[in-house]
Amino acid sequence: MIMNLQTAAQINEFLAAFVLLSAFGMLAQKRIYSLIHLFAWQGFFLSVNTAIVAYVAGRHHLYISSILTLSLKVILLPYILHALVVKLKIRKEVESMVNVPATMLIGIALVIFSYHLTAPVTELSKLITRSTIAVALAVFMIGLLMMITRKHAVTQIIGFLAMENGLFFAATSATYGMPMVVELGVALDVLIAAFIFGIFFFHIHTTFDSLDVERMARLKEGD
Amino acid sequence: MTLLVLLGVPLFAAVVLAFIGDRRLAPEVNIAGSAATFAAGIALAFQVYEHGSMTAGGKFFFVDAFNVYLSVLTAFVSMTTAIFSRRYMRREREHGRVGHVGMRFYHAMFQLFIFAMLLCLLTNNIGVLWIAMELATLSTVLLVSLYRTPTAIEAAWKYFILCGVGIAQALFGTVLLYFAAERVLGEGGEALLWTNLSQVSDKLEPTVLSLAFVFLMVGYGTKVGLVPLHNWLPDAHSEGPTPISAVLSGLLLNIALYALVRCKALVDGSTHSHRAGDIMMGFGILSIIVAAFSLLRQKDIKRMFSYSSIEHMGIATFAFGLGGPIATFGALLHMLVHSLAKSSIFFTVGHASQMHRTQEIDKIRGLIKGNPLVGWGFMLGAMAIVGMPPFGVFTSEFLILTATMKDAPLMTPFLLLGLAVAFAAILRKVQFMVSGDAPSYQKPVKAAHLPVLVHMALVLIIGIYMPNFLNEWFHKAVEILR
């Protein structure tokens, strides 16, 4: 083996740091274009990481997952989002966000919480990737936080996809990936979801004249 | 073999209907497809009744007493809904609420949705279960927004986002479950099969499984519509076309609960404690109380019955959490009768709102005079759903209540309070809607008789006399879930 396990674990942690960094970047980024780029970068780091794990652990099915991530989350989804943003002319739309520092602090708290939560799992695991399980959960939680705090349809979708990235990362770190049939099925679901939100963007845009979901507030509990 | 037919028919029908589009015979093809699915479901039920549980397709699918009755129920309700939707959607089409594309989409997605639900039930793999659950959500999202009104789009967006987030939690739970299972069963697809997992559940690492259950509970709980994860449900169920409300309320919630209960059985086997059950009881009782009080202030008829669905799912979740043979038996029965009664109510509600061209409770009056079938069907359905004897819901609620008094007496007052408030809220409103003179703006409507009559008859029969095969299945399912 060319790469010894120590180095592999270090590269794995290094890439995990970048995945987490891009998650935090997304949390603070206001411009939609840059957000899409950050999302693509996150997918890229994930894909490289998966390929390395596949090589070191000798799990060939992970190569397929890695290629799938590359084609779906680095190329196809950012391309679709990009095309939609151009088509709907929301290029310059800048989101108003409340209190970025507070959101970042919550994000940090979520990372700590994730380490606490996954401690029993990490302890039991013997895989070289065990130290990144917590990071995966953190990425997942930050995606969730992003969906809660942001009010733009495109941003919410990116948050959703970032959560999915976190899940994929978790599966790679905790168990060297889910069985192939599950990985493929999840990828298929993400692809269908992509088409659905594409259609949705058009519907929301034509109906509400903006992709700001704050404007959707008709369905509230009446008194 | 039957199993593959059961899954193949709706998938095939979805493709066919996508091609047929908005032609004249599309609703009939939709009915024929669902009827064929139901026939396959019956055949499967016979097989399971005679030979017991079985696996198929290289252990990829499996059937036991727990999922066979839900599969038949799913196939049955989707068949009656297809019958109902023929007249209902034609009327909507005449009113111009849906167009060409909409109708094509509606029929194809309806069948795809049924396929996804059946796959959820019949798959042996918890990973595939998750995928099918997500597919069921995705196939109905655009059906909820079918009318393209601002509120419908808002509801569908909420449904898409909240269920997406929820179900993502369940995937994380599944990853953790796989992590624990892999250590015992070795890696590969085998470690995600129910049939394998249930045999080794006591060897699974309890700490990991408890953690996994929290995520699974939040994830599938969102889809069950448990308070406080229920926000999407009243919107999605009230803004979509009524046939979709009927299958969402009557079937999809059951499927999500099924997934949750299966997971709970694994967790219980591993932790040897009642913690998972306690969590479910908490969510259940909270859902009952909150939904019951929300029922009081509803102004929209479909929204009101969505809250009633939350309440009933709360009851079933509570009973599964309580555990023990009587409560579990009651919960299984409750899933069945609630599904039948609720979808029947939605059928009549759909016609009622078509007659008045509104879903506002205050404007719907004189249903019995306007259309006796719709009026009486609605009234009896409401009586059934609030748990009046001799309907089946009474039997299941009574069983659950007795079990609660015995095993968790402190919970009894809360349960009773929820039931009483829901009873008062629903009956008071329904009474005004069915009685009195028909208002001038009420228009006659060609109602679909058969679905309502059959559903109500079944709820009544189950309340009075429980068929033997059902009894046996429930007893076996109780054994499985212990």
Side-chain angles (χ1 to χ4, degrees), chain A residues 59 117 121 124 137 144 147 156 167 174-175 185 189 196 200 203 207-208 213 216 218-219 221 223, chain B residues 131 134 138 141 148 151 153-154 156-157 161 165 172 179 183 187 205 208 211 297-299 303 307:
Chain A
R59 305 297 154 98
L117 211 57
V121 182
L124 284 167
L137 183 61
L144 183 64
M147 288 184 78
Q156 284 193 336
L167 285 172
T175 61
D189 275 345
I196 291 183
F200 251 121
H203 287 180
T207 316
F208 296 94
V213 289
M216 293 198 258
R218 298 184 195 211
L219 290 173
E221 272 317 313
D223 310 286
Chain B
I131 294 162
E134 175 78 351
L138 294 175
V141 160
R148 301 276 176 85
T151 44
I153 288 177
E154 184 187 338
W157 180 255
I161 291 292
V165 170
F172 194 79
F179 170 77
R183 297 161 55 80
E187 64 175 295
E205 188 59 42
V208 179
L211 185 60
R297 29 181 263 191
Q298 292 311 311
K299 297 194 171 83
R303 240 183 134 74
Y307 274 103

Side-chain angles (χ1 to χ4, degrees), chain A residues 9 26 35 39 55 64 83 92 101-102 105 109 112 119-121 133 135 139 145 160 169 181 189 210 221:
Chain A
M26 282 193 253
L35 252 177
F39 171 70
Y55 175 72
I64 304 173
K92 295 220 175 78
L105 280 177
I112 298 166
V121 182
I133 302 172
V135 178
V139 171
L145 179 66
F160 177 71
F169 195 20
V181 55
D189 275 345
S210 157
E221 272 317 313

Side-chain angles (χ1 to χ4, degrees), chain B residues 107-387:
Chain B
H107 283 127
M109 283 300 160
F110 183 79
Q111 290 291 341
L112 188 68
F113 176 54
I114 293 164
F115 165 76
M117 286 193 294
L118 287 172
L119 183 61
C120 269
L121 289 171
L122 295 171
T123 184
N124 193 3
N125 186 319
I126 43 171
V128 176
L129 170 82
W130 184 88
I131 294 162
M133 189 78 80
E134 175 78 351
L135 185 66
T137 314
L138 294 175
S139 58
T140 40
V141 160
L142 291 179
L143 289 180
V144 169
S145 71
L146 193 69
Y147 294 147
R148 301 276 176 85
T149 55
T151 44
I153 288 177
E154 184 187 338
W157 180 255
K158 236 173 164 177
Y159 177 42
F160 180 51
I161 291 292
L162 289 177
C163 280
V165 170
I167 206 103
Q169 317 269 345
L171 184 59
F172 194 79
T174 311
V175 170
L176 288 175
L177 202 56
Y178 180 56
F179 170 77
E182 199 196 32
R183 297 161 55 80
V184 182
L185 290 163
E187 64 175 295
E190 291 278 302
L192 277 176
L193 302 185
W194 290 122
T195 40
N196 293 349
L197 282 168
S198 55
Q199 276 163 14
V200 297
S201 65
D202 55 334
K203 294 199 193 75
L204 299 174
E205 188 59 42
T207 43
V208 179
L209 256 83
S210 321
L211 185 60
F213 185 73
V214 173
F215 282 98
L216 290 165
M217 178 77 221
V218 172
Y220 290 131
T222 312
K223 287 239 72 170
V224 182
L226 296 174
V227 177
L229 313 160
H230 68 289
N231 282 26
W232 63 275
L233 193 146
D235 298 341
H237 289 207
S238 63
E239 294 303 321
T242 309
I244 298 305
S245 320
V247 279
L248 283 178
S249 259
L251 299 178
L252 187 60
L253 306 182
N254 269 358
I255 312 280
L257 186 57
Y258 162 82
L260 187 60
V261 171
R262 282 265 188 221
C263 295
K264 175 188 176 270
L266 284 184
V267 176
D268 280 350
S270 158
T271 57
H272 299 290
S273 72
H274 201 259
R275 205 183 308 146
D278 288 341
I279 297 177
M280 281 176 79
M281 277 166 73
F283 271 102
I285 208 84
L286 190 66
S287 306
I288 298 169
I289 300 283
V290 172
F293 281 97
S294 304
L295 274 170
L296 281 171
R297 29 181 263 191
Q298 292 311 311
K299 297 194 171 83
D300 181 305
I301 183 168
K302 276 165 83 176
R303 240 183 134 74
M304 176 168 87
F305 284 105
S306 320
Y307 274 103
S308 153
S309 291
I310 298 177
E311 184 222 339
H312 284 280
M313 281 299 128
I315 295 175
T317 310
F318 173 79
F320 277 123
L322 189 61
I326 298 174
T328 312
F329 190 98
L332 293 166
L333 180 63
H334 198 74
M335 280 164 91
L336 173 70
V337 287
H338 168 255
S339 166
L340 290 170
K342 187 52 65 62
S343 38
S344 161
I345 287 179
F346 270 114
F347 298 156
T348 51
V349 162
H351 284 313
S353 53
Q354 274 184 337
M355 283 159 73
H356 298 82
R357 295 272 198 114
T358 177
Q359 289 176 203
E360 261 179 72
I361 291 174
D362 286 340
K363 293 204 174 126
I364 299 175
R365 288 288 178 267
L367 276 176
I368 290 178
K369 285 221 172 114
N371 187 329
L373 175 99
V374 172
W376 280 113
F378 184 42
M379 184 71 209
L380 290 175
M383 281 163 67
I385 209 74
V386 296

Side-chain angles (χ1 to χ4, degrees), chain B residues 10-31:
Chain B
L11 194 59
F12 180 68
V15 177
V16 171
L17 281 162
F19 279 106
I20 294 180
D22 189 27
R23 303 240 164 71
R24 230 173 47 97
L25 278 177
E28 283 76 10
V29 174
N30 193 23
I31 294 173

